[in-house]
Amino acid sequence: MSQKTVVIIGASGAIGKALVNLNLRLNNQVVTVSRETLSISHPLLKKYQSDYSQKSISEVASLISRVYPMLSTITVCNGALHTQTNMPEKRIEAFDIDYFSTLLHINTMTPFMWLQAFTPHLLSTQTPCVFTALSARIGSISDNQLGGWYSYRASKASLNMLFKTASIELQRRKCNAKLMLFHPGTTDSELSKPFQNNVPEGKLFKPEFVAQQLHSFQLNRDFNGAIDYIDWQGHNIQW
């Protein structure tokens, strides 16, 4: 199997770190982006830092594209569910504009800014590239039967719409890329920690399992111009 070059954004999180370690074991060239410097060292690992401002994202993506012109996958692992002051809303009265704005920035704007920044690379490269963002089943409008969690649902639904819209444009522009939105299930991470007591037995996944599932799906995408919105089993999710 030939060596691949993969970009992992949000590499300091649970799923991001698991993806880094998995790809290093596979002897792939791994390019990471995170706020903090990763403690991992490896000859095949190149680390970049970003404050996730639009200017920083644009500069880092441009630099990576110049240094590594043949990217196989770009995976954005950034995401948030709760903050130090807010938890998901159970009632309309709990809706808080600052909490909503924070989730929109992290869950929606940040992944889309990375897609925007890498678009010149995706349009110019001859290497098929899978661009993945972590979404969630809770972002499905048609699947919403329980209500609640207003800000998180809306931030993921917005992410889905932006990526769906981008996939139509990129297909029209004959881009050699595949967009994928991936629902990892409930992963053992800081994001899910306050809610793990309510997770059914066998449904709390280790980051290593999620990374392996995601990697396997990235290897087997159909470059048909359509976006894939799938879960950790590879099943399609309703929009």
Side-chain angles (χ1 to χ4, degrees):
M1 184 180 295
S2 60
Q3 186 188 64
K4 300 180 183 299
T5 301
V6 304
V7 179
I8 301 168
I9 300 163
S12 60
I15 295 175
K17 284 181 181 177
L19 278 172
V20 171
N21 290 325
L22 172 61
N23 279 280
L24 289 176
R25 289 197 300 273
L26 295 172
N27 292 315
N28 289 329
Q29 174 68 58
V30 179
V31 182
T32 66
V33 182
S34 58
R35 287 185 184 275
E36 308 88 19
T37 302
L38 294 183
S39 58
I40 308 170
S41 295
H42 193 281
L44 291 174
L45 178 63
K46 176 64 175 179
K47 297 178 280 190
Y48 293 90
Q49 286 183 264
S50 172
D51 62 7
Y52 296 114
S53 65
Q54 190 166 26
K55 180 176 184 291
S56 172
I57 287 173
S58 178
E59 290 174 349
V60 171
S62 178
L63 178 57
I64 292 173
S65 299
R66 289 198 304 271
V67 176
Y68 302 97
M70 300 173 66
L71 302 176
S72 296
T73 63
I74 303 169
T75 307
V76 185
C77 300
N78 302 79
L81 172 55
H82 52 86
T83 66
Q84 291 183 340
T85 56
N86 292 88
M87 299 295 284
E89 315 96 333
K90 295 181 180 180
R91 304 173 63 192
I92 292 175
E93 290 88 341
F95 181 80
D96 180 86
I97 191 65
D98 292 329
Y99 170 58
F100 183 37
S101 296
T102 296
L103 294 197
L104 270 177
H105 184 80
I106 297 172
N107 294 336
T108 309
M109 298 178 198
T110 295
F112 193 70
M113 284 191 293
W114 282 111
L115 176 59
Q116 179 189 44
F118 273 110
T119 291
H121 169 83
L122 297 176
L123 288 170
S124 64
T125 184
Q126 297 301 308
T127 303
C129 182
V130 179
F131 192 110
T132 306
L134 296 188
S135 186
R137 191 185 306 276
I138 203 170
S140 166
I141 293 175
S142 58
D143 188 65
N144 183 1
Q145 304 299 321
L146 297 176
W149 290 38
Y150 289 89
S151 295
Y152 189 65
R153 284 186 188 276
S155 70
K156 291 298 186 179
S158 297
L159 171 71
N160 292 350
M161 180 57 82
L162 287 173
F163 269 66
K164 172 69 173 176
T165 304
S167 71
I168 296 170
E169 177 185 345
L170 294 179
Q171 181 182 23
R172 190 164 55 236
R173 297 174 72 179
K174 303 187 185 308
C175 180
N176 194 21
K178 177 70 173 184
L179 301 189
M180 183 166 74
L181 295 162
F182 179 68
H183 167 59
T186 305
T187 308
D188 188 5
S189 66
E190 289 301 317
L191 183 146
S192 70
K193 199 168 289 296
F195 313 97
Q196 291 181 5
N197 289 336
N198 299 320
V199 178
E201 186 175 354
K203 294 296 185 180
L204 180 62
F205 304 131
K206 291 186 177 301
E208 293 75 16
F209 168 78
V210 173
Q212 182 61 60
Q213 294 296 100
L214 174 53
H215 175 74
S216 67
F217 299 142
Q218 289 174 325
L219 290 177
N220 296 288
R221 301 285 21 106
D222 182 4
F223 281 70
N224 56 5
I227 186 172
D228 290 347
Y229 179 25
I230 62 173
D231 66 12
W232 58 273
Q233 301 173 93
H235 296 164
N236 290 328
I237 301 174
Q238 301 177 63
W239 291 93

